[in-house]
Amino acid sequence: MIETKRHVTTLDNGITVLSEYAPHFNRAAVAVNVMAGGIHDPEGKEGLAHVLEHLIFRGSDTRSSADIQSAIQDLGGYINGQTFLDRTTYSATIIREDIGKTLDLFADMIARPRIDAADLDLEKKIVEDENCRGCFNCSMNEAFFSAAYPDQILSRPIIGFEDTIRDLTVEDLKEFHRDFYVAANLTVAVCGDIEHDALVDMVERSFAALPKGRPSTWPDFRYTGGDMHMGTRSEDAGVWLGFDFTDMDLDEKRAVDMFADILGGHGQSLLMQELREKRGLVYHVSTETETCARRDVLRVYLQGPSSSIRDICTLTIDTIRQAARSLAEDEVDKARRRYHLGAKMSQDALESRVDDMITDISDLGRVTDPAERYTRYQSMTAGDITAAARKLLASSPTIAMSAPIRSAPKLSDLRARLTDEKSTSGFFGLLKRAG
């Protein structure tokens, strides 16, 4: 059993305050989450939210950049910012006695940032250095989301493009800050040895200057599923297979989580054993479920030599379909055990517990009960998992591939094999005829 003590309070100005009581820890984890990320960048200004996150650390109306860096050093812990598709999170790990000082620092940085031309020019250079310029993972991610959600903004890179970053102005940053860095968009979460009422008092005092504003919204993204093949001359190939399962109910989604773990979530997973350990076909195979702007997606990642890409795809799809038809009870037992170990070990990771609360608010709009979630996962049966998996496979898949054209299978044939549609052409037809 997982025992937690979580509390939620919404302040009069709209800030959500979350706490999880963790006695006997000398450290504490703090996070301030702003519900504004890459999908909120105006068209033609991609990368704006990420640049603003950088500038938040450059100074405020009352502190210079040197003052902020000195305050961070004085705290002696770890402080960072990260921009996501639909949110930006500022986090810290500090000793518990410094929770109040940390909140004061974050509030000053977030509510009153100093945004000037010199700092912006410097951060543009830094962001440009961070840009991986079309690396494999970024290219595949863009291809996947372009195919899954065509003509929608989910495929835009959070880091932006060279020209959109270059053209950003101080006023662009200030306008974005005025619109989105408001109390109605803010969640403050702390996990540590602190009483909730004391935390609420700290947040009210620290963030008193933040205007209430209006909560951010985002488009109602439409999943259609699709294919995209990026032809290469490389000896390496990659395939990402995926499904959107947003419309499933909560128990079905948890079953999909377990299905993903069993398929490729660890070193002894079904796909790892079939593709790598038994046959040595891939350099990398893994699966994950993720939520992007409240769209739930399962993805399978495959990478191996282009000469083997047909075998890799065939065996992957066959393994997925077989697992959806029937799972051995020992596989489910091991999955439940892995979840148990992960849940238990996360109790020592205050940062993970804070992230869990923040993610709940971002993805679900509410905080879930870890004990209830643990119980539901532990009661999951093979029948629950395979039923959700079959429902998943009955939907439209998305396939993104990077491989030489001549050595690659047709994506339409892979789609047919995934969905069990009839096909007698090309690669798929040969496979069907071969049994």
Side-chain angles (χ1 to χ4, degrees):
M1 176 62 70
I2 301 299
E3 296 182 1
T4 59
K5 185 180 178 183
R6 286 183 173 179
H7 297 279
V8 183
T9 297
T10 302
L11 304 184
D12 291 340
N13 64 357
I15 294 178
T16 300
V17 182
L18 309 174
S19 73
E20 184 169 323
Y21 185 56
H24 314 306
F25 281 89
N26 289 316
R27 74 184 193 279
V30 179
V32 180
N33 188 68
V34 183
M35 288 299 288
I39 62 171
H40 298 101
D41 292 337
E43 186 175 357
K45 301 183 187 299
E46 289 82 2
L48 193 159
H50 178 238
V51 171
L52 179 57
E53 174 232 306
H54 279 234
L55 284 169
I56 292 294
F57 289 88
R58 280 285 166 188
S60 71
D61 290 346
T62 60
R63 304 181 201 229
S64 67
S65 177
D67 290 337
I68 287 179
Q69 295 306 314
S70 177
I72 291 173
Q73 291 173 7
D74 287 345
L75 290 171
Y78 170 81
I79 293 182
N80 193 30
Q82 187 171 3
T83 307
F84 300 88
L85 275 172
D86 55 0
R87 60 189 173 98
T88 304
T89 301
Y90 302 90
S91 57
T93 302
I94 38 81
I95 61 173
R96 62 187 182 188
E97 290 85 357
D98 286 340
I99 292 174
K101 292 180 181 179
T102 304
L103 292 174
D104 285 344
L105 176 62
F106 276 150
D108 194 29
M109 294 163 57
I110 288 169
R112 295 175 288 269
R114 186 194 69 204
I115 302 173
D116 63 31
D119 287 338
L120 177 56
D121 288 343
L122 182 59
E123 287 303 333
K124 285 180 179 181
K125 294 177 182 178
I126 292 173
V127 170
E128 175 62 20
D129 289 339
E130 288 182 356
N131 195 330
C132 59
R133 291 182 176 84
C135 71
F136 173 80
N137 283 334
C138 291
S139 297
M140 288 294 286
N141 193 67
E142 183 175 346
F144 181 90
F145 279 106
S146 294
Y149 306 92
D151 303 318
Q152 297 168 78
I153 61 176
L154 278 176
S155 63
R156 298 191 312 189
I158 294 171
I159 201 169
F161 303 100
E162 291 182 17
D163 58 336
T164 61
I165 296 298
R166 183 191 62 232
D167 294 340
L168 289 177
T169 67
V170 167
E171 185 51 42
D172 291 333
L173 276 295
K174 288 183 175 180
E175 182 179 1
F176 190 92
H177 181 267
R178 285 193 300 268
D179 289 343
F180 294 105
Y181 277 61
V182 295
N185 273 338
L186 215 70
T187 300
V188 179
V190 173
C191 184
D193 191 355
I194 184 172
E195 294 293 337
H196 184 73
D197 289 344
L199 175 62
V200 169
D201 290 342
M202 290 179 183
V203 174
E204 283 184 320
R205 182 182 65 254
S206 296
F207 290 87
L210 200 65
K212 182 173 184 177
R214 293 182 297 179
S216 59
T217 60
W218 47 81
D220 183 16
F221 295 111
R222 304 174 311 281
Y223 176 81
T224 60
D227 310 325
M228 185 170 292
H229 186 172
M230 297 180 290
T232 72
R233 296 181 178 179
S234 174
E235 294 181 355
D236 298 327
V239 180
W240 288 12
L241 310 175
F243 295 87
D244 183 297
F245 61 101
T246 305
D247 294 333
M248 289 188 180
D249 65 36
L250 184 56
D251 283 339
E252 289 174 326
K253 290 180 180 181
R254 289 170 173 170
V256 171
D257 286 339
M258 294 283 271
F259 185 62
D261 176 72
I262 292 169
L263 274 181
H266 56 95
Q268 289 74 47
S269 66
L270 296 179
L271 288 174
M272 177 65 79
Q273 292 299 309
E274 292 296 331
L275 292 167
R276 185 179 175 90
E277 298 304 317
K278 292 182 180 179
R279 297 171 176 84
L281 288 174
V282 295
Y283 316 137
H284 173 82
V285 56
S286 64
T287 61
E288 70 170 352
T289 57
E290 59 181 334
T291 300
C292 305
R294 297 188 178 174
R295 300 299 309 189
D296 299 303
V297 182
L298 178 147
R299 291 201 280 190
V300 180
Y301 307 103
L302 304 158
Q303 195 169 1
S306 57
S307 59
S308 301
I309 193 62
R310 294 182 180 234
D311 291 337
I312 291 170
C313 290
T314 303
L315 189 57
T316 297
I317 292 173
D318 288 351
T319 302
I320 293 172
R321 293 195 59 81
Q322 177 57 42
R325 283 192 292 267
S326 175
L327 279 174
E329 283 297 334
D330 71 310
E331 289 290 349
V332 180
D333 289 341
K334 288 184 286 187
R336 287 194 291 258
R337 180 63 177 168
R338 283 189 297 274
Y339 185 87
H340 170 77
L341 292 174
K344 283 291 188 182
M345 288 188 287
S346 72
Q347 295 299 291
D348 294 326
L350 303 186
E351 300 79 8
S352 295
R353 293 162 72 172
V354 160
D355 185 65
D356 187 57
M357 290 189 286
I358 289 288
T359 301
D360 273 352
I361 292 292
S362 298
D363 296 348
L364 303 174
R366 59 184 176 83
V367 175
T368 60
D369 178 6
E372 182 273 338
R373 187 170 58 205
Y374 174 86
T375 299
R376 297 298 291 177
Y377 275 107
Q378 291 304 303
S379 64
M380 199 82 66
T381 68
D384 296 331
I385 297 170
T386 54
R390 288 193 295 271
K391 186 173 181 178
L392 188 78
L393 295 184
S395 64
S396 178
T398 293
I399 308 171
M401 178 181 291
S402 173
I405 299 294
R406 289 188 176 182
S407 61
K410 291 182 179 180
L411 298 189
S412 58
D413 290 342
L414 296 184
R415 172 178 292 274
R417 192 174 188 87
L418 262 174
T419 56
D420 205 24
E421 295 173 354
K422 300 296 182 181
S423 174
T424 57
S425 64
F427 170 61
F428 177 67
L430 291 174
L431 290 172
K432 293 290 280 187
R433 289 194 292 274

